[in-house]
Amino acid sequence: MPESLPEVRLVEAGPFGHPAVEHDWPQQAGACRALQKALSTYVNTVDDLPPVRRLGGVDIGFEDGGRITRAAAVVLDAQTLEVIDTQLARVPTRIPYIPGLLSFREIPGALAALERLATLPDLILVDGHGIAHPRRLGVATHLGLVTGLPTIGVAKKRLTGSYEQPPDERGAWAELQDRDETIGAVLRSRVGVKPIFISPGHRIGLESALSFTMSALTRYRLPETTRVADKLASNR
């Protein structure tokens, strides 16, 4: 029998004390896509940020042939980028990789890792897309909705949209557009390397998403939040 669409519920106090969206986690692709469309109506791409003193990072790896999700959550000082807290969680992987549905595969593990943090971040940089997604609901946006926390998508590859190459200068960027809508930015984070793709996740606008991403960059292509989380998730 076909899987029914899960109910979407907006609650005043989500898992981390902020208004958040609750829903069950479907496993069939059609139900996942329909749920993404329903969730997209709750997305906020206007700045709704607290004072950002702590930056979070989330990244996902896999073990046991993909059967176990290895999720990392980290917290860095927003000014010094020193590591404040790191946590790792292992949970059974719910669904296989399906293009466009990454959040349904990765977020259950990310939530488990975030729940273990002693200090919550004020803003999370997620290894993946925010609204730069065909249904405007990438993993960063989905994570922001279910946690209630502000999130930014920082991806290594384009998923949708078109753009002109930004100049080969650190901090240069170009708009990522889809159907006459600006859905993100293509950012040159380092001279001589491929750009990265920045998009609002939830509770933040594009200008602030770019600014906070730049603040987390050092001499590498990816922000320190992603680098620290990736090392933990990948066991490197």
Side-chain angles (χ1 to χ4, degrees):
M1 295 180 63
E3 190 170 6
S4 59
L5 179 63
E7 179 187 0
V8 176
R9 303 170 295 275
L10 181 62
V11 296
E12 287 302 312
F16 303 105
H18 300 280
V21 173
E22 289 184 347
H23 62 78
D24 294 330
W25 293 86
Q27 294 182 293
Q28 293 184 356
C32 290
R33 294 188 186 100
L35 180 56
Q36 285 179 327
K37 292 180 181 179
L39 290 172
S40 68
T41 63
Y42 293 90
V43 179
N44 177 11
T45 56
V46 176
D47 285 354
D48 178 23
L49 297 161
V52 178
R53 301 184 178 92
R54 297 176 296 273
L55 293 174
V58 172
D59 200 7
I60 304 295
F62 295 92
E63 300 177 349
D64 192 22
R67 288 182 285 271
I68 298 297
T69 299
R70 179 186 172 101
V74 303
V75 181
L76 277 61
D77 183 282
Q79 297 297 319
T80 66
L81 300 182
E82 293 181 358
V83 177
I84 297 172
D85 193 3
T86 66
Q87 291 294 331
L88 186 68
R90 294 177 174 86
V91 301
T93 303
R94 295 180 58 88
I95 66 172
Y97 171 72
I98 303 172
L101 301 180
L102 188 65
S103 62
F104 293 91
R105 178 173 168 88
E106 295 193 348
I107 285 180
L111 287 172
L114 287 167
E115 287 170 353
R116 295 186 178 189
L117 291 171
T119 304
L120 284 177
D122 301 305
L123 171 66
I124 304 175
L125 281 68
V126 181
D127 181 33
H129 290 283
I131 64 167
H133 179 279
R135 289 170 292 281
R136 307 296 183 258
L137 207 95
V139 62
T141 300
H142 199 162
L143 184 65
L145 288 173
V146 298
T147 61
L149 298 170
T151 55
I152 299 171
V154 182
K156 296 181 278 292
K157 296 180 180 179
R158 180 189 69 89
L159 182 60
T160 192
S162 60
Y163 62 95
E164 300 289 338
Q165 283 288 343
D168 193 15
E169 301 173 2
R170 186 180 188 274
W173 61 276
E175 289 186 352
L176 178 65
Q177 294 190 317
D178 188 28
R179 301 192 295 272
D180 298 321
E181 178 185 356
T182 299
I183 58 173
V186 186
L187 173 66
R188 191 77 68 180
S189 57
R190 181 183 174 191
V191 174
V193 301
K194 294 179 180 179
I196 55 178
F197 296 82
I198 311 302
S199 59
H202 182 50
R203 295 181 57 193
I204 194 168
L206 180 57
E207 183 177 343
S208 293
L210 281 164
S211 178
F212 281 111
T213 301
M214 287 297 302
S215 75
L217 289 167
T218 56
R219 58 191 178 92
Y220 300 98
R221 181 188 179 211
L222 298 174
E224 288 302 294
T225 45
T226 301
R227 284 171 31 80
V228 174
D230 175 70
K231 288 180 181 178
L232 186 59
S234 304
N235 195 25
R236 292 204 299 267

